[in-house]
Amino acid sequence: MKEIKKITQGRIARQYKLLKLGLGAGRNLLQSSGQELTDKFKDAINTEVHKIVNDLGLMKGSVMKVGQMLSLYSDSILPPEVKEVLKELEGKSFYLNWQEIQKNIPASTKEHIDITHTPIAAASLGQVHKGTIRESGEKVAIKIQYNGVKKAIANDIKTLKLILKLAKVLPKGKKLDPFFTEIKKMLEQETDYVKERTNHQLFADLLKDDKSYYVPKIYEDYCDEKVIVSEFIDAPHLRELSNSNLSLEDRNKLGLHFFDLFMREIFKWGVIQTDPNPANYLIRKHKGEYQWVLLDFGATKEIPDSVQDNYHRLIFAVINQKMDEFVELLFELKYLQKDSSFNKELFQEYLSTVSEPFSGGVYNWGESDIPERMLKLAPKVVKELTIDQPPQDIVFIDRKIGGIFFVLKELKCEFDPNLITDNYQDLNPANDE
Ligand SMILES: Nc1ncnc2c1ncn2[C@@H]1O[C@H](COP(=O)(O)OP(=O)(O)O)[C@@H](O)[C@H]1O
Ligand SMILES: [Mg+2]
């Protein structure tokens, strides 16, 4: 991690920095066009990777977050130069020094909690410090939001869109506004720490009797609009946990539970935590059994009944490999235009890729190359879709499903997912509890 003293703030400063970044000091921009401009953009990136990463690190906020989201798709839609930047950005985290960040913590919280000055994690919108409550000795995690990131969202997104368009980084001829609108909405939500705590508590309530999962307790008295204090859980992330520590049986159980959680979210509760980043989960042994510790409810989305119903039909058409039904649904849901010709083979490929684990019997998730194949296919599929009046949720559901595949792969578990999906053939199994 790299310490920084200040985040670039102010509308003009951020816009300027972004433009400079994207266009290699913006030289000759107006005289350039087409391929020439794209080449310039690439050259600028190539010569300045480290500088760009550094500047993005200083900007934090939307720019970094969108960068991280794009990097998911970087293999397929972004030029290798941009990918280079995003890869380096991912590997580095910048954190704001204590003197600055502590200003955002309420005085009474600082009074009652001893806080370690170096953070345990730093992300795009905030950073997390470890602390101890003086009176009780309880260990806590304190998530602190950066100043100004909320205010900067709208403008950052606007500038980012402009740059990506100018640089012709985005696929041609697509109306991307709905996607940017959706990303903007999500960023606004992720900076709403009050809402995050409500969603955190919602999941805690929903899962309170289920020992396969644990949601850390929130210390509401120490929180405010920019600070969330939760019970610190001393457990590793999946990445830090060597698979050899877990028996195949443990891994299979964890995998099943991970998959089942998604099914419950989408089909039972209609509430989805849409950020499947593996850093949002810890694994701990509790009373002899492994359980998932769920962190970070910033990107939790409620889906309306109608959307839930549509996804049910769509996902089961995929699971049961019903190509005709799948395509029919894509038309009905206006993902595709009725009169448009579309790439049937591509959708067939997508369907057979995603449905592979459901072909029957135990599936070896560790050996699966579906995540990579899906990431290659997804942008092509997105290009085919009519996204003028779309269910934009697809961006997030797609990301979530991709994320689940990644986690199961990393877990190297083996199980038949039909064992779980069979329980959700009927929508809303909520009432049989
Ligand atoms: N209650 C907690 N116990 C232990 N570690 C935590 C806790 N909360 C957060 N962390 C650590 O901080 C990281 C970032 O927290 P998260 O809530 O995901 O923040 P962000 O919204 O910035 O992604 C997590 O990946 C985890 O390592
Ligand atoms: Mg997180």
Side-chain angles (χ1 to χ4, degrees), residues 205-221:
D205 292 341
L206 288 167
L207 292 168
K208 70 178 183 318
D209 296 321
D210 195 330
K211 59 178 176 34
S212 307
Y213 313 91
Y214 186 72
V215 180
K217 183 173 129 186
I218 294 274
Y219 292 85
E220 197 58 50
D221 289 350

Side-chain angles (χ1 to χ4, degrees), residues 324-335:
D324 292 343
E325 214 171 301
F326 180 61
V327 171
E328 200 42 53
L329 271 163
L330 293 178
F331 284 128
E332 190 189 319
L333 302 177
K334 301 201 169 71
Y335 285 106

Side-chain angles (χ1 to χ4, degrees), residues 120-121 123 126 128 141 143 216 230-233 237 279-280 282 295-296:
I120 53 171
V128 178
K143 171 149 112 174
S230 63
E231 170 190 4
F232 178 82
I233 304 295
H237 289 289
N280 291 338
L282 307 173
L295 310 169
D296 198 354

